Amino acid sequence: MEEHQYVASDGMRSLIRHNNMLLMAIARFGIPFGFGDGTIDEICRQNSVDTNTFLAVCNLISGHPYERFPVELSTLMDYLKRAHSAFVDYTLPKIRLKLIEAINYSHSNEVALLLIKFFDDYVVEVRNHMEHENSEIFTYVEGLLNGNTDEKFDISMFSDNHSHMAAKLQELKDIFIYHYSQPDSIPLSAALFDIINCEKDLMAHFIVESTLFVPAVERLEEKLRRAASEPDATSTDNPDESLPGIDALSQRERDIVKCVAHGMSNKEIADHLCLSIHTVTTHRRNLSSKLGIHSPAGLAIFAILHNLVDIRDVRPM
């Protein structure tokens, strides 16, 4: 493995050996375990994950140089959504169960219940924060990817008020460690260990959003602003000449074109690529906008002409 930086040719296994905390990142990209000796690039391609985005995230949260790897926003948003689900649906509920188990050993039940309420209120804040990102921020960015701008909002409004959500968790941890005494600290230490890891995980999540996601959105906003200020390049005698070809498509968009050519429905594509139907629909709208091709049959022909699929594998439409 190249020193101080993960690259596409590294084995996925060696990446985990170097930093086993990256197991969470792998899962949040929707990559299943059991990948044997495959390289990072091989495993990402097999699971329709943009390799550069994967490498940018893993290098960043491991403290390695990440700038050489361009981020694909749709892939990064899928990663962030899965991270949100992991925090809200798994990590925080697991911590709560351990805290309840720990305070059963305590003789100060009234204080213990106040601490549980403190934690529950914190979970509500985290859930609201992440649901806002899912429903408002990511929807805004999906609109940008489709060429739609919003004069009343830009990503700086999000980043100016964006927080890592770890401070209150650290406060709760410190209260337990420095001020809360009980006869048996072993169950509580297990809960505090999970709190410490969650605190680190939230900080890493915040760094990914601030360092990769927000700048990528800002670049897209600037690109759309420049395009809006330039003369309409499509108003020519032959508008088809201005339509992009295969090079304009991201790896995820190519995967979706191949699925369409194989005759798959949006639900089948979503299941196959581990995406939501909403994300697949967004990608298909984006494809139609980019290519000027709106029918499944047209996309199938495009896929054949650009060697994305073999004509023998195309299902009649």
Side-chain angles (χ1 to χ4, degrees):
M1 179 177 290
E2 182 179 321
E3 188 177 4
H4 302 313
Q5 188 176 63
Y6 309 129
V7 295
S9 58
D10 291 334
M12 188 73 82
R13 177 182 291 184
S14 61
L15 181 148
I16 296 170
R17 285 174 178 167
H18 187 265
N19 182 1
N20 55 28
M21 293 299 290
L22 292 177
L23 281 167
M24 291 185 292
I26 292 171
R28 291 169 188 178
F29 274 104
I31 297 175
F33 302 136
F35 36 69
D37 294 321
T39 67
I40 291 172
D41 189 53
E42 289 170 346
I43 302 304
C44 285
R45 288 181 178 274
Q46 288 170 14
N47 292 278
S48 301
V49 172
D50 179 68
T51 302
N52 283 326
T53 305
F54 178 87
L55 286 167
V57 169
C58 291
N59 277 298
L60 174 62
I61 63 180
S62 298
H64 300 167
Y66 61 89
E67 294 84 356
R68 63 180 279 197
F69 303 108
V71 168
E72 182 187 84
L73 268 172
S74 57
T75 298
L76 186 58
M77 283 196 296
D78 288 341
Y79 166 86
L80 294 173
K81 289 175 184 177
R82 288 192 183 95
H84 290 172
S85 178
F87 285 119
V88 172
D89 299 329
Y90 179 73
T91 302
L92 292 172
K94 187 180 82 167
I95 291 172
R96 187 180 193 276
L97 289 175
K98 285 194 173 183
L99 285 174
I100 290 174
E101 180 183 2
I103 66 173
N104 284 337
Y105 291 80
S106 171
H107 297 301
S108 304
N109 286 328
E110 290 184 6
V111 175
L113 291 174
L114 287 175
L115 289 168
I116 291 295
K117 184 179 185 304
F118 184 101
F119 179 79
D120 287 344
D121 290 343
Y122 168 74
V123 171
V124 170
E125 290 180 24
V126 174
R127 184 183 297 275
N128 291 340
H129 175 92
M130 294 183 173
E131 285 180 352
H132 170 71
E133 290 184 15
N134 288 344
S135 63
E136 301 294 333
I137 306 304
F138 294 157
T139 299
Y140 166 72
V141 176
E142 286 167 354
L144 292 178
L145 289 169
N146 287 321
N148 303 318
T149 57
D150 186 340
E151 295 180 357
K152 298 180 180 179
F153 183 84
D154 61 51
I155 199 65
S156 66
M157 298 178 184
F158 164 72
S159 60
D160 289 346
N161 299 295
H162 189 217
S163 69
H164 51 67
M165 300 298 294
K168 195 168 183 179
L169 195 61
Q170 181 179 6
E171 182 180 336
L172 176 65
K173 176 196 68 179
D174 289 344
I175 289 173
F176 273 116
I177 293 174
Y178 300 116
H179 306 289
Y180 184 75
S181 178
Q182 64 177 44
D184 185 356
S185 295
I186 291 178
L188 183 57
S189 67
L192 292 175
F193 182 80
D194 284 353
I195 288 176
I196 291 168
N197 282 331
C198 181
E199 182 185 337
K200 293 178 180 177
D201 198 7
L202 282 166
M203 287 299 301
H205 180 75
F206 172 78
I207 290 170
V208 170
E209 289 186 324
S210 300
T211 307
L212 295 180
F213 177 67
V214 170
V217 176
E218 288 174 339
R219 290 192 293 271
L220 179 56
E221 289 174 333
E222 178 60 26
K223 179 181 177 181
L224 292 174
R225 281 194 290 266
R226 287 199 307 268
S229 66
E230 293 172 355
D232 188 358
T234 62
S235 58
T236 63
D237 292 335
N238 187 4
D240 289 341
E241 290 180 358
S242 66
L243 294 176
I246 189 67
D247 292 340
L249 302 187
S250 67
Q251 183 60 50
R252 178 59 56 80
E253 289 170 335
R254 297 183 195 198
D255 292 333
I256 288 178
V257 169
K258 287 190 284 187
C259 290
V260 172
H262 288 147
M264 297 170 68
S265 67
N266 283 357
K267 185 179 186 309
E268 290 171 330
I269 295 172
D271 292 341
H272 180 69
L273 299 180
C274 298
L275 302 173
S276 68
I277 293 179
H278 175 71
T279 299
V280 172
T281 302
T282 298
H283 278 306
R284 290 195 63 171
R285 284 199 304 267
N286 197 30
L287 281 166
S288 295
S289 176
K290 280 187 177 182
L291 301 176
I293 301 173
H294 302 276
S295 67
L299 288 174
I301 293 171
F302 175 88
I304 294 168
L305 292 175
H306 289 279
N307 299 314
L308 290 177
V309 296
D310 189 295
I311 191 171
R312 292 168 295 184
D313 297 328
V314 175
R315 189 184 303 173
M317 300 180 187

